[in-house]
């Protein structure tokens, strides 16, 4: 099969890029993000398998990752499990494994786990790929892959709608003329964000004839 394609970051058209890669015959596409935050939540809503890569020895391991990310993970891989970092990597793996036992699974019928991996020594890579394949087989057999993809398509639909509405709203002549004034009033504490939003929405609604 074709080799994997790697897309760095989460751009506005990452989904379209995924479809383009599939159209060109790539049956494995990797979407890479940096850090823990909104981009991870976004990518989890685009892919069949969500792998979270963690590093050992960064202090309190579970302090650096939100519970929401754990709930999205299909697998956690603790990298740099070699040399002097191996004991800390094992400790981190144990902590993540314990946390995952008390975390709601991302997919019905699949229990995420934490594995050790060393990119330097090439250790654990086969185990990760085996987990990816096992996940796809199990989720395909139960119909979860199809359900996940359908949910992702609906999420994509509403993201596009919300993005389009934001552009329409900000460019609307009556709203546009008030935005700076409202932002200044909110920053100075003269009006609450909720009330400012209501005023802007009413301007948009009245001028739209509703």
């Amino acid at each position: 099969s074709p080799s994997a394609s790697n897309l760095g970051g989460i751009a506005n058209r990452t989904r379209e890029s995924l479809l383009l890669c599939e159209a060109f015959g790539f049956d494995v596409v990797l979407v890479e993000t940096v850090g823990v935050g909104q981009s991870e939540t976004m990518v989890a809503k685009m892919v069949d398998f969500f792998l979270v890569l963690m590093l050992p020895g960064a202090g309190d391991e579970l302090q650096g990752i939100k519970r929401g990310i754990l709930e999205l993970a299909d697998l956690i891989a603790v990298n740099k499990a070699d040399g002097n970092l191996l004991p800390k990597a094992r400790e981190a793996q144990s902590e993540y494994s314990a946390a995952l036992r008390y975390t709601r699974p991302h997919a019905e019928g699949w229990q995420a786990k934490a594995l050790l991996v060393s990119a330097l020594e090439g250790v654990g890579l086969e185990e990760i790929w085996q987990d990816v394949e096992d996940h796809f087989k199990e989720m395909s057999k139960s119909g979860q892959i199809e359900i996940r993809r359908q949910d992702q398509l609906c999420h994509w639909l509403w993201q596009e709608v919300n993005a389009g509405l934001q552009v329409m709203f900000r460019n609307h002549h009556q709203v546009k003329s008030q935005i700076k004034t409202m932002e200044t009033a909110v920053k100075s504490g003269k009006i609450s964000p909720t009330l400012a939003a209501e005023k802007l929405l009413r301007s948009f609604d009245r001028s739209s004839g509703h």
Side-chain angles (χ1 to χ4, degrees):
S1 62
S3 60
S5 173
N6 182 32
L7 304 174
I10 302 300
N12 289 335
R13 295 302 174 190
T14 298
R15 288 186 177 88
E16 284 86 343
S17 299
L18 289 170
L19 292 177
L20 187 61
C21 288
E22 291 179 357
F24 271 93
F26 291 94
D27 57 2
V28 177
V29 183
L30 304 181
V31 185
E32 181 182 5
T33 69
V34 179
V36 176
Q38 186 179 8
S39 62
E40 278 64 40
T41 303
M42 290 172 62
V43 77
K45 297 182 183 298
M46 300 180 190
V47 297
D48 294 330
F49 188 90
F50 186 56
L51 168 67
V52 178
L53 184 64
M54 298 300 295
L55 299 174
D60 296 329
E61 303 296 343
L62 294 178
Q63 295 294 325
I65 185 170
K66 295 180 180 178
R67 179 176 176 179
I69 299 298
L70 285 177
E71 291 181 346
L72 294 174
D74 294 306
L75 174 66
I76 292 177
V78 182
N79 193 20
K80 297 187 181 296
D82 48 57
N84 295 333
L85 285 177
L86 182 55
K88 290 185 177 181
R90 286 174 174 160
E91 182 180 347
Q93 179 196 24
S94 177
E95 291 183 11
Y96 289 129
S97 296
L100 288 169
R101 284 196 291 271
Y102 297 99
T103 301
R104 182 179 60 187
H106 185 201
E108 184 180 342
W110 180 261
Q111 179 59 55
K113 56 189 175 185
L115 297 179
L116 292 177
V117 60
S118 169
L120 179 64
E121 298 178 352
V123 175
L125 300 180
E126 291 185 2
E127 287 80 357
I128 287 178
W129 186 246
Q130 185 62 56
D131 218 53
V132 172
E133 291 190 324
D134 291 345
H135 175 272
F136 190 79
K137 289 177 184 176
E138 288 298 320
M139 297 299 98
S140 296
K141 185 169 61 176
S142 67
Q144 289 295 312
I145 285 290
E146 186 63 25
I147 292 172
R148 180 179 292 193
R149 290 179 178 180
Q150 289 172 352
D151 289 343
Q152 289 171 353
L153 288 172
C154 285
H155 179 75
W156 184 1
L157 162 67
W158 287 109
Q159 269 205 324
E160 291 293 319
V161 169
N162 290 336
L165 286 173
Q166 278 246 6
V167 172
M168 289 172 58
F169 181 78
R170 286 181 172 275
N171 290 333
H172 193 275
H173 63 283
Q174 289 197 22
V175 173
K176 194 173 183 178
S177 63
Q178 298 180 58
I179 287 178
K180 288 294 183 184
T181 302
M182 287 299 173
E183 286 182 342
T184 301
V186 168
K187 289 177 181 178
S188 65
K190 292 180 179 179
I191 188 173
S192 70
T194 300
L195 185 55
E198 288 177 357
K199 287 179 177 292
L200 289 173
L201 288 169
R202 280 201 299 269
S203 295
F204 182 76
D205 187 56
R206 285 197 302 269
S207 59
S208 298
H210 298 293

